[in-house]
Amino acid sequence: MQNARAPCLGESPLFSIIIPLEYHRGQWEQSWLGWTSQTADKSLYEIILVVPPDFKTREALKALAGDEARLEFTDSEHDIGLCAFGATKARGSYLFFTESHCWPAPDVIELCIRAIEAHPEWAGFSCHSVPICHNRLSVAEAAMYQADIEFGMKRHPWRKVLDQCFVTRRDVYWECGGLREELGHFAEWVLAAAYHARGHTIGYLQEARFHHYYIGKIGELKTFTLDFVRGEIRYLGEAHRDPGSELLEVPTEWSKRDDFDTALARSASAHGCDPLE
């Protein structure tokens, strides 16, 4: 991209902001205010609010959004599925995935435009996550996830897709298979591996800041953890051979899973085999 001029009438916007309204944690209005307070020209981006079937304040949402956002309704109840659906409705050259319990600093769009101009080698990039905590568990939760995010963004060679704030060229996103709802949040790792395997670079734009609200509830922490693990198990169970699959490390718990099968161990023992060999 050579410059950041506003699109002419009838042209597509530069960015499609895709906001899934599942797991909003009561923060969706704050998220909305963050996007409507951007310093960049509003013609440069469209906002797509992807609404799950159980969203309880649809009328308030419609009134708040007015003509400043498109509402897309789907039967999906998972934020990865909502993001994937929103991408099919996007018109922008760049897709901007985020979450409805996150809100951007006012200069995020401007910083993203500068990054695209400065880094033509980037097919996508993630922004900087700033934790918002309100109880002791949310502090512990943030510390755990922020350590993993920091590792991915700054040290890991390719695991740089962060759905809190991920910008990508739309054509590359589709080339790499997009986000897969059935994999839950493990879909982020699968997509990142696909970019790397196909030779696409994902950058890290640390100066573009997103506030991420950590809810600090055991139930939600358990739900998210199980969601990731189930997606990982599903992916490994399907034995994919797509570009990037070889990059995904197989956990010991999966490769040695037969060691924990009581029936298999008893059968092996009955036939004179040592199940530990």
Side-chain angles (χ1 to χ4, degrees):
M1 189 189 74
Q2 298 302 313
N3 56 62
R5 68 173 181 82
C8 297
L9 186 64
E11 289 186 2
S12 297
L14 180 61
F15 297 100
S16 291
I17 315 297
I18 300 170
I19 308 176
L21 290 175
E22 187 68 18
Y23 306 128
H24 59 80
R25 301 173 181 175
Q27 305 300 309
W28 64 269
E29 291 177 280
Q30 179 68 53
S31 175
W32 171 254
L33 290 173
W35 286 111
T36 54
S37 302
Q38 290 295 299
T39 55
D41 192 301
K42 286 183 170 54
S43 65
L44 290 169
Y45 60 98
E46 64 176 355
I47 301 175
I48 302 174
L49 301 175
V50 192
V51 188
D54 61 348
F55 193 77
K56 293 181 171 54
T57 53
R58 290 193 178 200
E59 294 308 315
L61 177 64
K62 290 177 182 177
L64 187 69
D67 59 359
E68 292 191 75
R70 294 205 337 259
L71 271 61
E72 297 290 349
F73 299 89
T74 176
D75 291 334
S76 176
E77 296 181 346
H78 194 291
D79 55 343
I80 292 294
L82 297 173
C83 283
F85 182 78
T88 69
K89 304 296 182 180
R91 300 181 299 124
S93 302
Y94 285 81
L95 306 178
F96 201 137
F97 295 104
T98 184
E99 295 178 312
S100 52
H101 54 267
C102 299
W103 56 94
D107 60 351
V108 157
I109 291 291
E110 284 196 3
L111 290 170
C112 288
I113 290 170
R114 292 177 198 169
I116 290 169
E117 294 173 339
H119 297 281
E121 75 279 11
W122 286 1
F125 53 89
S126 289
C127 303
H128 179 53
S129 177
V130 180
I132 302 296
C133 305
H134 62 98
N135 63 22
R136 292 173 66 185
L137 181 57
S138 68
V139 172
E141 183 184 9
M144 178 179 69
Y145 284 119
Q146 290 298 126
D148 188 67
I149 291 170
E150 186 86 357
F151 174 76
M153 296 300 111
K154 294 185 176 180
R155 297 173 55 194
H156 198 276
W158 54 264
R159 207 179 72 203
K160 301 185 186 302
V161 173
L162 179 63
D163 73 341
Q164 297 174 17
C165 42
F166 177 57
V167 183
T168 176
R169 280 172 42 191
R170 186 172 62 170
D171 59 337
V172 175
Y173 170 83
W174 290 119
E175 175 195 333
C176 294
L179 291 166
R180 294 178 50 190
E181 178 178 11
E182 71 273 17
L183 300 180
H185 283 278
F186 188 66
E188 297 172 55
W189 286 25
V190 172
L191 186 61
Y195 272 59
H196 188 74
R198 288 175 169 85
H200 298 299
T201 299
I202 299 175
Y204 175 43
L205 188 61
Q206 188 165 2
E207 58 267 37
R209 295 162 59 88
F210 268 77
H211 301 88
H212 180 273
Y213 181 83
Y214 286 93
I215 194 164
K217 290 183 179 179
I218 289 290
E220 292 237 5
L221 182 59
K222 178 181 178 181
T223 296
F224 182 89
T225 303
L226 290 176
D227 172 78
F228 183 92
V229 172
R230 286 181 181 125
E232 183 178 31
I233 290 171
R234 179 165 190 162
Y235 184 82
L236 294 172
E238 292 175 354
H240 282 274
R241 293 294 179 267
D242 303 325
S245 60
E246 72 283 356
L247 298 172
L248 294 159
E249 184 178 349
V250 179
T252 301
E253 294 83 356
W254 178 261
S255 61
K256 304 272 187 190
R257 63 192 182 281
D258 289 342
D259 293 353
F260 304 98
D261 188 314
T262 304
L264 181 63
R266 285 174 178 165
S267 176
S269 179
H271 289 83
C273 301
D274 184 347
L276 298 180
E277 287 184 351

